[in-house]
Amino acid sequence: MKRVILLVLSISLLLLPFTGLAAEQNIQILVNGEKITTDTPPIISSDRVLVPIRVISEALGYNVVWDVTTKEVIIKDDSNTLKLIINEPTIWKNGNQSELDVAPMLVNNRTMLPIRAVAENLNTSVDWDNATKTVIINTIEPEPPRTLTSIEQSGTSFTLNFTNGSDPVGRDIFTLSDPERLVIDLENMVLAEEVSMPSIEENEYIADIRYSQYEINPNRVRVVIDLKQPAKYSITQNDNSITLELRSPEEKIVVIDPGHGGKDPGAISVTGRYEKNLNWETALKVVALLENEPNLTVKLTRNNDTYVSLDNRVEFANNLNADLYLSIHANALPSRPDIRGTETYYTRADSLDFATMVHQQLLVATGFTDRRVRYNDFRVTKYTTMPAALIEVGYLTNSVEEEAMYNPDFQQKVAEGIAAAIKEYLSIGVEGTVE
Ligand SMILES: [Zn+2]
């Protein structure tokens, strides 16, 4: 329905000189400083500028194929392929799909494409000058490749050193079995004439390290670690190095994420107390309960009262290759102080078992109303790569639950429930589990 309205609007916009809309016909396009003239004027739809397909092909110089029957537009540069479909608000970049604010459309039989979405996926910057109604497009020189200069090994960890670049280095790390190997692919990377690498010193995991210029144009270096036995790894990445620390798959890492922190207080309770402090106190109690567990390491996403973005929390857990992730929160609904109870959230199917276990433990620990295990698209449960759950222990806007939750004895019980669920999920010990 929406698309029909947009289409009608776009066509009427070209036919009728409405005041207010008429200005949209005067949109200018500058490509690398040069003004582009088009037979069909650019249009604005849903606050996005759409330009005729010829701007993309001729002015920007990309290879464009338009299939009338499938209504598909294929746009290619040296390393990327984009696909768009008329009237579908979706763009595919090298097969990966993402959403568009506005769909490509036909206007007077001309194919109009959302310029920002197309350009930003093709090494091109796009700016909009509202005063002059000008779309400013500049092609960006691709970053020169970095050089892998040396590989160092120390015990069960090793470091790949390379030259600096402006963007974080692109990498893909995965394991292969039969025989056990760890593979690190470094994007836009070339080998130094001589990569320095001392001979491997005696250790539990690393038998040998090999490297090659795996691909040229785009350049990719592949480093292969021949392993003596299966291993898990944690990653530390800097501007000019990546370090991998190997560990036994038996050694589990749990990330506890005390929600909010620093400038972000989280919810404000009915008596004006901050959610972030409650989350922190509970997290500390969980750490205390688990820190002496053999083969288990507990890591916190933040130190005391600091602000850490959601994406950095996810990256922290993913780089550790943690086995489990638990985000601790408390709920709030100021308009409904009567609402109370415990909720546990998950996003990916592989997280449901853990979410269910921790929820059962929380119900027993809190005695609060069961508001169920629920699905939600929270970033920390969606983008983490290990089973992940987010708990909302109770409602800070309900005076009964608020008073209980700030009581240290109550927090201890909640922490014991969380610790029991973690041990149950990871099959560590049996004490404290509830059936
Ligand atoms: Zn929260």
Side-chain angles (χ1 to χ4, degrees), residues 29 31 36-40 51-62 64 73 110-113 115:
I29 302 173
V31 173
I36 305 298
T37 46
T38 55
D39 49 357
T40 307
V51 301
I53 202 167
R54 286 178 59 175
V55 172
I56 312 282
S57 60
E58 287 173 17
L60 286 169
Y62 294 119
V64 181
V73 183
R110 297 272 186 233
T111 309
M112 305 295 282
L113 301 179
I115 179 63

Side-chain angles (χ1 to χ4, degrees), residues 89-109:
T90 307
I91 188 167
W92 286 263
K93 181 180 185 180
N94 306 322
N96 296 316
Q97 185 178 352
S98 54
E99 271 176 51
L100 292 175
D101 296 319
V102 61
M105 58 178 80
L106 291 174
V107 176
N108 288 352
N109 264 328

